[in-house]
Amino acid sequence: MSARSEPGLRAPQSRTEDSPAVSSAELHRRRGAAVARGVGSVIDSYVDTASGGTIVDVDGREWIDFAAGIAVTSVGNAAPRVVEAVRAQVERFTHTCFMVAPYESYVAVCEQLNALTPGTFAKRSALFNSGAEAVENAVKIARHATGRQAVVVFEHAYHGRTNLTMALTAKNMPYKHRFGPFAGEIHRVPMSYPLRDGGLSGAQAAARAIELVDKQVGAENVAALLIEPIQGEGGFVVPATGFLPALREWATAAGAVFVADEIQTGFCRTGDWFACDHEGVVPDLVTLAKGIAGGLPLAAVTGRAELMDAVHVGGLGGTYGGNPIACAAALASIATMRELDLAAAARRIGSVLADRLRAIAARDPRIAEVRGRGAMLAVELVRPGGLVPDPAAAGAVSAACHAAGLLTLTCGTYGNVLRFLPPLVISDDELARGLDILDAAFG
Ligand SMILES: *Cc1c(COP(=O)(O)O)cnc(C)c1O
C-alpha cells in the first residue's frame, strides 16, 4: 500500500512551479560562493519538496529518505498536522519571547514532556532551540543543583558542537579539530561497545567505567553522568544489557545526576517513546531535541522537579527557546505519534530493515555487526576476517546508495558505520524500494 493513501500523509507539493527553474548544479555553484566551506552536506542535490519517506530535488529526482534529516522528521516532512498547527500559530503570533510574555503552548509542551518521559515523580521542563543547548543546560542544572563540577561522559559520545558540548563529545574530526581550548571538568570513561570490548557484560563494562570515576574523579565530585542510551553519531553503539541500569544505580548512590541524552533516540525512534524505557532506566534529567517538533527547531530538558527548580528565577532561558511556532509543531508531532502509534511503526520498520540487513550481512564479510533498535539501525563495516574499521567501504556503499537515489548517512568514531533512520511514516513501498537500492549497493 502506498503512503499516499494512508491517513495523515499527502503527496509532495512542488514549489518550483511558481518560481523560475533552478538546477542543483547551479545552486551548488552559488553555494560555493556564498556558504562557508565548514558547513558540509551529504549530497549535492538541492531539495524542492519532501513528504513521508521521500525527498524530491530541484532537478525533479526522487530520493528515498533513510535519514529523516538526522532523526528529526519522524512524523514525516511537512506532516499535515504539523503544517496545520504551524499555519494557525504563525497567523496568531510569531514570537513574544516566553521570558517576556508567556503563552499556553510552551506550558502544554512541558506538560506533555513531563508525562511522556520515564519516571512517575514530579517533573519540570525548560525549552531551548537545539540539542547542544539542551545538553549545556542539563549540565548547568546538574552543577547548580549538586554544587559539584565534574561531568562524566563516554568514549564515542556525541553531545553537540558548542564549546561545552565539544568538550563532552569524543570525536576530534570533524567536531573539535583546532576549535579548543575546551571546557574543563569533563571526564571520559569507556563505553560498553559489545563488538569492540571483548564481549564484556553490561555489569562488567559498567564496573570498568565506575572504577575509573571512583579512582580518578571521586564519586563525591560528580555533578552529572551524561550518556546516550544508544549512541548516535558515535556509531549506533548499543550498550550490553545491564550497563545503563548499573550506571543508574551508581549515580543514585553517588548523589550524581543521571542525564540521558535522548536527542537522537527519543520520540518513538527506537520503538519506545524513549530508549531508556527499554530497560526501565529512569534518568534524573533527559535532554530532547531532533524528533520533538517535526522539523522545527526545539529542544528541552525534562527532569526531577527538585533539580530543575533548584535554579534561581532567570537562570535558564534564551530569546527563542520554546518559540510558539516550534511549540505548536511539537504538540502536533506528539499528537501524530500517538494517533499513528509511531513507536509500533518504528518496531515494524526495524524488523523489516533488520531482516534485510542480516541477509546482506550473511553474504558480505565486511559487515561485522548489524545493531540498533527499532528504526535506528546500523551496520559496522570492517576488513573481512578481523575488526579493522573500513571507512572506505562505508563511503563506497553510501556513494552507491546516493547514486541510485537512496539517502543514507554514515557515522562512528572510525567513520565505518552506515546508519538508517527512516521517517517513522515511511510507506511499505518506499521502505522496500530503499532496501532494494541498499541491497544492490552492497554488490
Ligand atoms: C544531534 C545530537 C545533539 C546535538 O543536537 P543539535 O540540535 O545538533 O545541537 C546532541 N546529542 C545527541 C545524542 C545528538 O544526536
Side-chain angles (χ1 to χ4, degrees):
M1 182 167 72
S2 157
R4 311 282 181 260
S5 59
E6 285 171 29
L9 295 174
R10 61 141 184 73
Q13 284 157 22
S14 177
R15 260 163 218 103
T16 50
E17 283 148 26
D18 335 316
S19 49
V22 59
S23 69
S24 287
E26 169 62 7
L27 288 174
H28 208 60
R29 193 193 59 73
R30 279 170 50 194
R31 175 209 183 115
V35 180
R37 193 174 69 120
V39 183
S41 297
V42 172
I43 58 172
D44 290 344
S45 296
Y46 287 69
V47 178
D48 180 20
T49 62
S51 59
T54 55
I55 293 172
V56 178
D57 68 26
V58 293
D59 307 308
R61 183 177 184 217
E62 187 186 72
W63 295 74
I64 304 285
D65 183 10
F66 276 13
I70 320 187
V72 168
T73 52
S74 295
V75 296
N77 248 295
R81 279 187 91 134
V82 173
V83 170
E84 202 181 303
V86 164
R87 187 174 286 141
Q89 179 57 46
V90 85
E91 285 174 355
R92 286 176 57 220
F93 61 98
T94 50
H95 174 85
T96 55
C97 184
F98 191 76
M99 300 184 306
V100 175
Y103 38 88
E104 181 188 1
S105 57
Y106 188 116
V107 178
V109 170
C110 293
E111 288 168 345
Q112 293 281 333
L113 300 181
N114 297 348
L116 286 169
T117 48
T120 51
F121 40 76
K123 292 179 211 153
R124 302 285 186 269
S125 292
L127 305 183
F128 304 98
N129 301 293
S130 69
E133 210 187 335
V135 172
E136 290 237 1
N137 277 280
V139 171
K140 282 166 64 172
I141 293 161
R143 283 178 168 160
H144 190 101
T146 59
R148 304 173 179 183
Q149 295 187 352
V151 179
V152 173
V153 291
F154 290 81
E155 285 174 355
H156 314 289
Y158 181 85
H159 297 292
R161 294 172 180 268
T162 56
N163 186 264
L164 175 57
T165 59
M166 277 192 293
L168 299 166
T169 290
K171 192 175 176 179
N172 178 49
M173 275 300 269
Y175 308 122
K176 302 165 76 166
H177 187 60
R178 297 178 65 156
F179 294 141
F182 303 112
E185 280 300 329
I186 311 296
H187 305 272
R188 193 172 307 286
V189 294
M191 179 65 181
S192 166
Y193 191 158
L195 179 70
R196 294 188 177 276
D197 66 11
L200 291 182
S201 71
Q204 289 167 329
R208 177 178 65 171
I210 288 165
E211 190 189 354
L212 287 176
V213 177
D214 284 338
K215 296 287 176 278
Q216 299 183 7
V217 188
E220 66 277 21
N221 298 318
V222 178
L225 181 149
L226 169 64
I227 189 163
E228 300 155 89
I230 297 176
Q231 290 182 323
E233 308 304 301
F236 282 28
V237 178
V238 186
T241 304
F243 183 69
L244 296 172
L247 296 176
R248 165 70 275 190
E249 213 171 288
W250 173 85
T252 303
V257 179
F258 185 100
V259 186
D261 182 347
E262 292 252 18
I263 288 169
Q264 193 154 160
T265 49
F267 294 101
C268 302
R269 175 55 56 188
T270 65
D272 286 299
W273 273 98
F274 299 98
C276 280
D277 293 331
H278 186 71
E279 283 190 87
V281 168
V282 180
D284 300 310
L285 300 179
V286 186
T287 55
L288 305 164
K290 293 202 164 97
I292 193 174
L296 275 86
L298 188 72
V301 182
T302 296
R304 287 183 184 275
E306 65 273 22
L307 297 172
M308 297 293 296
D309 282 345
V311 179
H312 49 277
V313 175
L316 302 174
T319 305
Y320 290 111
N323 167 273
I325 300 166
C327 285
L331 293 171
S333 295
I334 291 167
T336 303
M337 288 173 197
R338 287 187 205 278
E339 188 179 308
L340 302 181
D341 194 356
L342 293 188
R347 295 193 292 271
R348 204 168 54 240
I349 292 165
S351 85
V352 172
L353 197 53
D355 283 352
R356 195 66 170 268
L357 294 173
R358 288 201 193 97
I360 298 170
R363 66 163 203 260
D364 193 325
R366 294 173 299 176
I367 299 181
E369 189 173 49
V370 177
R371 63 174 179 250
R373 193 180 303 142
M376 181 175 181
L377 292 179
V379 292
E380 176 159 355
L381 301 184
V382 297
R383 303 239 195 91
L387 285 176
V388 178
D390 194 346
V397 174
S398 270
C401 289
H402 299 165
L406 174 65
L407 187 51
T408 55
L409 304 173
T410 57
C411 65
T413 295
Y414 315 105
N416 65 329
V417 178
L418 280 165
R419 60 170 153 171
F420 310 106
L421 291 163
L424 303 181
V425 295
I426 194 168
S427 69
D428 295 347
D429 170 62
E430 290 163 334
L431 183 59
R433 281 193 287 145
L435 289 172
D436 287 344
I437 294 173
L438 183 65
D439 202 310
F442 274 94

